[in-house]
Amino acid sequence: MSYEIPHTKIAYHIILTTVSLLWGLNSPAFAQQIWSGTGKIVSGAGEGGTVGLKLEVKDNNVEFLSGPSKNEPPFQLNNSTDINGTVKLNAGTWQFVQTGKELGVSLSQNNPYRIIRYRLFPKS
């Protein structure tokens, strides 16, 4: 006795599997990515200075590998497709806006007062 699977079921399964794999490969929620770049102090203490920043994003958790929040615990952003959001940490308020392969990061601090704007890019 032979059992034959209808062609529509096979095609449906192949499509679902392909879409799931493609979504998983493109979704930062399942990826580990190092972002690094430089920032400029645009206002306040050290205005005009240049500083570096490096962070790691893994399963939607963000951890600073350098910079003012280096020793703070990782935190999670509420977005599964891009790195976007705002978080308050001991070093100040961080704002993240990802546009394609560029991550814009701003840090607002009160003590000392300053605002830093970073441009980060993924490292392979």
Side-chain angles (χ1 to χ4, degrees), residues 22-83:
L22 290 174
W23 183 81
L25 291 174
N26 290 323
S27 174
F30 298 106
Q32 177 179 358
Q33 183 68 60
I34 303 291
W35 294 81
S36 66
T38 58
K40 185 164 186 123
I41 303 171
V42 295
S43 184
E47 187 171 340
T50 302
V51 291
L53 183 65
K54 188 179 207 181
L55 53 90
E56 176 182 39
V57 179
K58 183 177 181 182
D59 296 330
N60 230 24
N61 290 306
V62 179
E63 181 176 2
F64 288 94
L65 302 177
S66 69
S69 291
K70 179 180 178 183
N71 295 319
E72 297 192 46
F75 60 91
Q76 191 168 34
L77 294 173
N78 296 327
N79 196 325
S80 61
T81 55
D82 288 327
I83 306 167

Side-chain angles (χ1 to χ4, degrees), residues 6-7 9 17 28 33 38 47 54 61 69 86-87 104 106-107 109-110 118 120:
H7 293 292
K9 283 188 177 181
T17 303
Q33 183 68 60
T38 58
E47 187 171 340
K54 188 179 207 181
N61 290 306
S69 291
T86 302
V87 64
S106 295
L107 171 62
Q109 295 179 305
N110 289 325
Y118 299 90
L120 307 181

